[in-house]
Each structure stands twice: as C-alpha cells, then as structure tokens.
Amino acid sequence: RRNRPLHSNMDRGDGNVKYILTGEGVGSLFLIDENSGDIHATKRLDREERAIYTLHATVVDKRTNETLEADTEFNIKIHDINDNEPKFSKDLYFASVPEMSDVGTSVIQVTATDADDQTYGNSAKLVYSILQGQPYFSVDSDNGTIRTALPNMDRETKENYQVVIQAKDMAGQMGGLSGTTTVSITLSDENDSPPRFANHTFRLSTLESAEVGAAIGRIKANDADVGRNAEMQYSIVDRDGQDMFTIISDQNTQEGVIRVKKQLDYEKQRTYSFKVEVTNTYLDPRFMYSPNPPFKDDAMVRVTIEDVDEPPVFSRNPYIIEVHEDTAAGSFVGVVSARDPDADNNSVKYSIDRHTDLERLFNIDSVNGTITTLKGLDREMSKWHNISVVATEISNPRQTTRVPVFIKVLDVNDNAPEFAMYYETFVCENVQSGQLIQTISAVDTDEPLVGHKFVFSISSSNPNFTIVDNEDNTARILTRRAGFSRREMNTYLLPVVISDNDYPIQSSTSTLTVNVCACDSRGNMQSCNTEALLSAGLSTGALVAILLCVIILLMIVVLFAALRRQQRKKEPLIISKEDVRDNVVSYNDEGGGEEDTQAFDIGTLRNPEVMDANKLRRDIIPEMLFPFQRTSPIKDNADVREFIHGRLHENDSDPTAPPYDSLATYAYEGSGSLAESLSSLESGCVEGDQEYDYLSNWGPPFKKLADMYIGKDTARET
C-alpha cells in the first residue's frame, strides 16, 4: 500500500536525487522508492501490535553520493479500525444470591475488554445486555453488574439459573462486534420453610420389658430448607408422655427418637397417647411472622405396650429377719412372699439356694415361703446368715427371681464369763497382810443389751488370800496373812467365781495359781521354786553355757575344714591315657640295628622328604572323605626354624585338627648338607674308595677333619 511520499527541496526532478529510509520496520514493513520518495507498506499493519513507528529519511546525490539534506525523523501512526471483539476474562462465572432477596440485589459484576483504541471512535465502547435469564435477572448496560429482577425468588421452587451476558462494542450500534459469557447463579438457602409432619399420627409399640433409656421408635418431619436451616428439635407436649417417655433429635437424620423414661408395666397401663411438637433449631425472625401457617408443627404419637411373661416379684427386697440363738431345730424363722406380676398370676414355688447355705441350717416351705431352722443356731459362731431364696413360676420354670434374706441371730446369755487372760501371780515370802498381789478382769462372749457387769468372789473362806470387787469389772487379790515359806508350800491354787448380771445368770470358776517367791526388801522377785523358774524361762547362766557350747562346735567344724583343704590334691586334667586329647606320640622302638631296615625305617625320622605326605594324624578320627595334602618342606631350605613355622601353619589350617591345643613333635635335623651324610649307614661304597680332598674346601671348621682324612689317604697310598 502506498503512503504519503517524501519530497526534498533538493530534488529538481532530473533523477539525480536518491532517497534512503532507515528506522523501525524498514525492509520488513516499509519500503521507499529511492527515485520518487514514495513509502510503501509491505504487509498488513496491526495497531494492537504497534500503534506508531519512528523512521529516518536521508537525501543523497546519486553521482557523488553526497548528502544533499540532513537526516530527517518522522513518525508513521497507525489509525485504529474496529477489528477486535469484546472478550470476557472467563467463559463461565459462578455466583450466588440469597433466596427471597429484594429486587435489585447485586449478584455479580462481569466485565469485558476490547483491544481496540479506547480514545479513538467507538471501537472500544462496550454495552452489556442479557441474552438469557430474564425475567429473573437484569444487567447494568454500562458496568455489567447483574441484579435480581423478581421478588420472592424461592430456592425450594428453583435453585439454579443460567444467565448469558453479551458485551457489544461500537456503543451497541449496528455492525459492532460482540462477545458473550455464561453466569451460573445459585439461590442460597434461607430459613423460610417451616418443618412439617407428612403424617400427623404415629403408632409405635414396645415390650413392657424395655429397659429405661431404650429407643422404641422414630418420627420424622420434613423441612424444605437445607443445612443448618433444616435442623429440627422435637419435644413432648403432653404431661402423660413426659412422665413415661422422652424424645431426642438425631442430628444426622433429623429424626425424633422416642426413648423409655420409666419402667413400663403392661398390667398397669397398656397404651399411651401424647403430642410431639417440632420446630427449627435456628429461626430467622424475618419469616417467623409471615402470613403463612405457624413456624412449627405437631403430631400425635400412640404407644402400645405389649405383655411379657415376667418373673415373680417379691414383696420386699431384701428381707431382714431376727431369730434368737437358743431357737431349737424346726423353729419358725420368717416368711417370704412372691407373686407373678402377669395378668395370669401363675403360682410360684420357693427354694433355698444351697450354695448360700452350705451347712443346711435353714429350710423353706415351697408353697407358702415359711423359713424354719434345721439345726440350732449359735450367735458366738456366726451373728449373721445370708441366704438366697428363689421363687419359680410353676407353669414356666425358666422364670425365676432371687431375693437375699439376711437372718440376724440374737444373743442369749448362754456363756459364762472367764478370765480375760492368763495370770502369772506370785507372792513374796516376806509379804505383809493385806498386800495386793494381782488385779484380775473378765470377758464374756455374750452381748448384753446394757453392758457387762461382773461379780467376783472366792468360793469358800480362804485363810491365805481374799478378793475385793472394784465394781468396774475388775477385782483385786490381797493377802490375808503375813509370811509365806517355799519350803512349806511353793504354790497355792485360788478358785475365783465370776458371775454376770444377765438373765439367766451365768457363772464360772477360774483358778488362779499363786507362786511363792523369794523377794528383796523392796518386794522385787529374786527366785521362785523350780516350776516357777521353768515357767518364767531359762536363767542367764544357762544361756551363757549354751552359747559357749555352740562356739566350741563351730571352732571344731572350721578346724576340720582347714585340714581337709590341705590334704586335698588337685586331680590331673587328663586321667585316662586313652583320652583323645593326649596328642603326645612317643616311640620306644630301637629297631633291628643298622643292618635291619625292615623292622623300622629310621630314615623316615631323619629325612622328612621321604615321609608319606598322605598320612593322617593318628590322634583323631578322620572325618573327611579325602585326606588332607601336606606340603613337603622346601628342598633348598635348610633352616629348621622355617621348617617348624611351615608345620605350625599346616596344623593351624588343618580342618581335621581337634578344637583344643595339641602337641606335635618332629625329629627333623635339617635337609642335609653338601657333604650329605657322614654315616656309614646305607653307604654304597667301601672306605677305600672315598676321596676327602673336598674337605679342605669347607673352611676352618673342617680343617682338622680334612688333615686327618687326607693324611690317612696319603699314608695308605705310600
């Protein structure tokens, strides 16, 4: 496309002027005719990509290439056309508005953008309109705010709405471009619906044996609201129902659960009718006084009680019966009574649980429940007897009931009083008349109503002692004369009569033993007769003698143990010569002489090179299927120490070696010398054939030997 041309005053139209264009987009977007100065656009220009371009033009002489006019800057501005439609930021919007909202309540604002020039014409001036969603909603044409258009929009009638909004440029005129978006509007719940019972009469039934707190049925009201607005609470209105039943609300199911409040009895009342009321837990004051029906509902509940075969019921629980301990066997103790609470009123029979009456002291009449004694009772043995009486329906033996019967045994004065303890009484030989020698008291196993009152007396006149009653259930024993002698009599027996004050009066005679003892001037006892001393315990001298004997016996035992320890010898670790751990091998065979090589090969001990490497140890039992291969000593090594180290390594790595320490001996004198053996044993030649000149080459240690043999050879040759 041709744009406005450039023209220089230096251009005289003779074709000697050349136009040069530089700057942004030159060559790619813009070209210039170098002869005429016309500027051309090579491709379509987009204002939204770039609205203005800055270029530079230069005029030069074609012949001399001289600049005829200075560099000139100019701008190319792209004019906007309406080539972009409005666009919303989202294709789908979500919004909510409370139900029953007033007309004109704002829901959400949606806005669109247009890439065209906002300052040039109406290409980017937008107008909003609603294409779908009328007559429920409207939209502000200027800013795109969506509002409610109808009053009392009820969520329970319709909850979701799809609204389509259009944005059109060119101020909404014909030929403008447009874009659309969808708004999903949900009516949020308000507590505008009261709870309602679908059925205003509920019939329930339960057994009379239902436990307190047990649920007997459920009732349900409906509420068109949701969530918190649909939560309901139930209550019993009638007094008759409040006494026997209670109702709670199940928060999960919004049901009313009816429970038993008191124990039911079919024989007393067989049906119950009461009213139940339901209301919302959370109320909205805006709707409580609406012209609609009251914001609560009620229903009648009828509960039918079903009969259950119940066990017998005792008239009392427990029974407490009193009986005197002197009651003879077969005497009357008391009566228990039970009846069948059912309408049939079946007969019952009675029995005693013998596990609670192991001594079989009582019996019961199975028909009338009369309890009698089988044996005499003794309060001093047991004050209470706890038995269980069982009542059983005759027509249905599985229906039984137990009741505890506590029988208290009342006391009868049938035991006489006696000394409270054993008294050790003594009197001094030098005692004076009227001297107190003992204070006594008494006990009685009976249990009087008022309290014990004992009377003490001596059965007959006693010339030696007298008794004085202290009137507090104690008495004093006094001497009636002065001076007693152990030689004449060392023990006196004093009978004391003790009586109680209950009816019938019980008395007993207890004997007090009085020992005559020698005392000092202060009245302290020093010694008594033999019986008194033995009764009082061992003397100090006797205890010392016994202690010395024990010490002597202990010393003898210690001395004997020391002698035995010295004589004891330590036993050897290995007793038997055949023990497998005896690994020392000895040889006592002297052989058959130097010429006898068949009896014993002594060379085997001297030269280990000829030893049988496949022989196993003789001190253990082989456990391997193949023998352990021993390596022969190094032929060129004559060091005995290395030989021993080699044997030690073989034994350490030998898998057939025993797990304990063992001793191995070797008769090894080395691998030989360069001169080999000097012995004549096994010599293959005679003495005269030997040459000894080499001895002189062995060094100083063999000089004398060389002189001796070489000299001998010389003499022989001579």
Side-chain angles (χ1 to χ4, degrees):
R1 179 179 179 181
R2 180 179 176 182
N3 294 309
R4 184 175 180 179
L6 293 178
H7 184 74
S8 175
N9 294 331
M10 302 299 294
D11 187 0
R12 307 200 187 284
D14 54 3
N16 294 327
V17 176
K18 179 181 180 181
Y19 293 91
I20 299 174
L21 185 66
T22 60
E24 299 172 322
V26 175
S28 59
L29 291 178
F30 302 102
L31 295 177
I32 190 171
D33 189 334
E34 61 179 14
N35 296 320
S36 63
D38 293 337
I39 299 176
H40 301 270
T42 62
K43 59 179 66 174
R44 184 182 181 87
L45 301 178
D46 190 356
R47 189 202 65 84
E48 285 70 38
E49 291 183 3
R50 186 160 188 169
I52 189 169
Y53 294 88
T54 301
L55 303 177
H56 295 268
T58 305
V59 180
V60 297
D61 190 322
K62 290 183 179 180
R63 295 171 297 179
T64 64
N65 206 25
E66 292 182 4
T67 301
L68 301 178
E69 191 173 337
D71 186 7
T72 303
E73 179 181 299
F74 64 95
N75 295 327
I76 297 178
K77 185 177 181 181
I78 310 300
H79 291 286
D80 183 45
I81 62 173
N82 189 19
D83 60 345
N84 292 281
E85 71 276 3
K87 292 184 179 180
F88 289 92
S89 59
K90 297 181 181 178
D91 293 333
L92 179 62
Y93 290 85
F94 294 94
S96 65
V97 63
E99 63 174 332
M100 311 301 290
S101 297
D102 296 333
V103 175
T105 302
S106 176
V107 179
I108 190 175
Q109 182 181 10
V110 294
T111 57
T113 58
D114 194 325
D116 293 327
D117 192 355
Q118 301 284 338
T119 62
Y120 181 76
N122 294 326
S123 297
K125 186 175 182 179
L126 305 180
V127 174
Y128 298 92
S129 61
I130 183 167
L131 301 181
Q132 177 182 329
Q134 295 175 332
Y136 306 103
F137 300 95
S138 63
V139 63
D140 190 313
S141 61
D142 293 330
N143 55 28
T145 300
I146 302 175
R147 303 179 186 274
T148 58
L150 286 181
N152 301 325
M153 296 178 64
D154 192 1
R155 185 200 65 84
E156 288 73 32
T157 302
K158 186 176 181 180
E159 183 176 5
N160 295 314
Y161 297 86
Q162 299 293 325
V163 179
V164 178
I165 303 298
Q166 181 190 64
K168 190 174 183 180
D169 59 12
M170 297 299 292
Q173 298 176 5
M174 293 293 293
L177 302 178
S178 64
T180 60
T181 186
T182 302
V183 181
S184 178
I185 301 177
T186 302
L187 297 183
S188 60
D189 185 58
E190 296 290 323
N191 193 8
D192 60 336
S193 299
R196 290 288 182 262
F197 284 108
N199 184 5
H200 286 77
T201 301
F202 294 89
R203 297 182 181 275
L204 305 175
S205 63
T206 181
L207 298 174
E208 64 174 330
S209 60
E211 298 181 355
V212 175
I216 63 173
R218 292 171 175 257
I219 62 175
K220 180 71 166 61
N222 299 319
D223 193 331
D225 296 320
V226 294
R228 173 178 173 177
N229 297 326
E231 294 181 4
M232 295 173 284
Q233 58 183 8
Y234 300 83
S235 60
I236 298 176
V237 179
D238 295 340
R239 183 62 181 268
D240 187 23
Q242 291 177 347
D243 292 341
M244 301 302 298
F245 303 96
T246 183
I247 187 169
I248 63 172
S249 300
D250 189 334
Q251 298 300 324
N252 295 324
T253 63
Q254 298 303 320
E255 295 176 316
V257 183
I258 299 177
R259 299 179 181 272
V260 179
K261 187 177 182 180
K262 291 183 179 180
Q263 187 63 51
L264 304 174
D265 192 350
Y266 173 82
E267 287 69 32
K268 290 183 179 181
Q269 187 171 347
R270 301 184 180 184
T271 60
Y272 293 90
S273 296
F274 50 90
K275 183 185 292 185
V276 174
E277 187 176 82
V278 60
T279 60
N280 281 128
T281 304
Y282 306 97
L283 299 178
D284 192 335
R286 295 180 300 169
F287 308 104
M288 290 179 61
Y289 306 103
S290 63
N292 295 329
F295 225 77
K296 59 184 178 180
D297 200 8
D298 55 55
M300 291 298 299
V301 178
R302 183 182 179 87
V303 180
T304 302
I305 309 302
E306 298 178 359
D307 187 27
V308 174
D309 189 6
E310 300 174 273
V313 178
F314 283 93
S315 59
R316 286 187 292 168
N317 188 3
Y319 286 88
I320 300 177
I321 303 174
E322 295 181 347
V323 61
H324 287 87
E325 64 175 326
D326 60 350
T327 301
S331 299
F332 173 81
V333 175
V335 178
V336 296
S337 176
R339 67 174 184 85
D340 183 10
D342 297 320
D344 298 338
N345 194 16
N346 296 318
S347 300
V348 299
K349 63 179 180 179
Y350 304 92
S351 62
I352 295 177
D353 185 356
R354 290 304 173 185
H355 292 91
T356 62
D357 184 25
L358 298 176
E359 298 179 359
R360 302 185 69 85
L361 299 176
F362 304 96
N363 191 26
I364 189 170
D365 191 300
S366 62
V367 177
N368 56 28
T370 301
I371 301 175
T372 57
T373 58
L374 291 175
K375 299 178 182 179
L377 305 178
D378 187 358
R379 191 199 68 85
E380 284 69 40
M381 295 295 295
S382 179
K383 297 180 181 180
W384 288 88
H385 296 279
N386 305 330
I387 64 174
S388 293
V389 175
V390 182
T392 306
E393 285 188 20
I394 296 177
S395 60
N396 187 4
R398 291 179 298 178
Q399 296 295 338
T400 62
T401 303
R402 291 171 173 268
V403 66
V405 179
F406 303 112
I407 301 174
K408 182 180 181 180
V409 182
L410 301 178
D411 184 48
V412 174
N413 191 27
D414 57 350
N415 293 281
E418 56 187 8
F419 280 153
M421 58 179 294
Y422 174 75
Y423 295 102
E424 294 182 354
T425 307
F426 69 93
V427 61
C428 295
E429 290 181 315
N430 55 355
V431 71
Q432 300 296 321
S433 177
Q435 182 71 40
L436 174 65
I437 62 173
Q438 186 68 59
T439 299
I440 61 175
S441 61
V443 293
D444 193 341
T445 55
D446 292 322
E447 186 176 331
L449 296 176
V450 179
H452 290 296
K453 177 61 179 176
F454 301 126
V455 178
F456 300 88
S457 63
I458 297 178
S459 58
S460 60
S461 178
N462 192 305
N464 300 313
F465 307 98
T466 185
I467 189 168
V468 177
D469 195 336
N470 295 329
E471 303 296 332
D472 60 355
N473 293 338
T474 63
R476 294 173 292 166
I477 306 298
L478 306 176
T479 58
R480 298 190 66 177
R481 65 182 179 89
F484 288 85
S485 176
R486 286 187 295 171
R487 295 180 180 180
E488 295 178 0
M489 181 175 289
N490 55 15
T491 302
Y492 293 89
L493 301 178
L494 180 62
V496 178
V497 179
I498 309 174
S499 303
D500 56 21
N501 63 339
D502 294 333
Y503 179 82
I505 296 176
Q506 299 288 339
S507 62
S508 65
T509 301
S510 301
T511 301
L512 185 66
T513 302
V514 182
N515 298 310
V516 181
C517 301
C519 304
D520 57 14
S521 59
R522 297 181 179 179
N524 298 324
M525 182 184 66
Q526 291 182 337
S527 63
C528 299
N529 51 56
T530 306
E531 290 81 1
L533 288 174
L534 290 175
S535 64
L538 295 175
S539 64
T540 303
L543 291 175
V544 173
I546 294 175
L547 183 60
L548 290 175
C549 291
V550 172
I551 292 174
I552 293 173
L553 288 175
L554 290 176
M555 293 178 63
I556 294 174
V557 171
V558 172
L559 182 60
F560 180 75
L563 293 176
R564 288 293 302 272
R565 185 179 294 109
Q566 292 180 357
Q567 294 176 357
R568 186 178 302 165
K569 294 182 179 180
K570 184 177 180 181
E571 296 181 356
L573 180 61
I574 302 175
I575 299 175
S576 175
K577 292 183 178 180
E578 297 178 357
D579 191 279
V580 70
R581 292 170 294 179
D582 187 1
N583 295 315
V584 179
V585 181
S586 60
Y587 301 94
N588 295 324
D589 188 2
E590 296 181 356
E594 293 182 355
E595 299 297 333
D596 188 1
T597 59
Q598 295 180 356
F600 185 78
D601 188 2
I602 194 171
T604 302
L605 295 178
R606 293 181 176 176
N607 191 358
E609 293 184 1
V610 298
M611 293 177 61
D612 187 3
N614 294 329
K615 289 184 179 180
L616 296 176
R617 296 171 60 122
R618 292 184 295 172
D619 54 344
I620 62 171
I621 299 175
E623 296 181 355
M624 301 179 61
L625 297 178
F626 55 90
F628 180 75
Q629 298 293 332
R630 287 193 177 93
T631 59
S632 60
I634 303 174
K635 295 181 178 181
D636 297 334
N637 189 0
D639 192 350
V640 177
R641 181 179 301 174
E642 292 186 6
F643 168 76
I644 293 176
H645 283 311
R647 285 294 180 263
L648 179 60
H649 177 71
E650 290 178 4
N651 283 274
D652 288 342
S653 59
D654 188 359
T656 63
Y660 40 78
D661 293 338
S662 61
L663 177 63
T665 59
Y666 302 96
Y668 177 50
E669 298 178 355
S671 58
S673 62
L674 297 177
E676 298 182 355
S677 176
L678 300 178
S679 173
S680 60
L681 294 176
E682 300 179 351
S683 178
C685 58
V686 297
E687 184 178 350
D689 298 333
Q690 297 294 329
E691 297 292 339
Y692 301 104
D693 294 335
Y694 58 87
L695 292 178
S696 58
N697 299 326
W698 289 2
F702 296 93
K703 184 177 184 304
K704 187 174 182 180
L705 182 62
D707 294 341
M708 190 167 38
Y709 275 83
I710 294 174
K712 184 178 180 181
D713 262 303
T714 305
R716 183 181 302 165
E717 291 175 0
T718 304

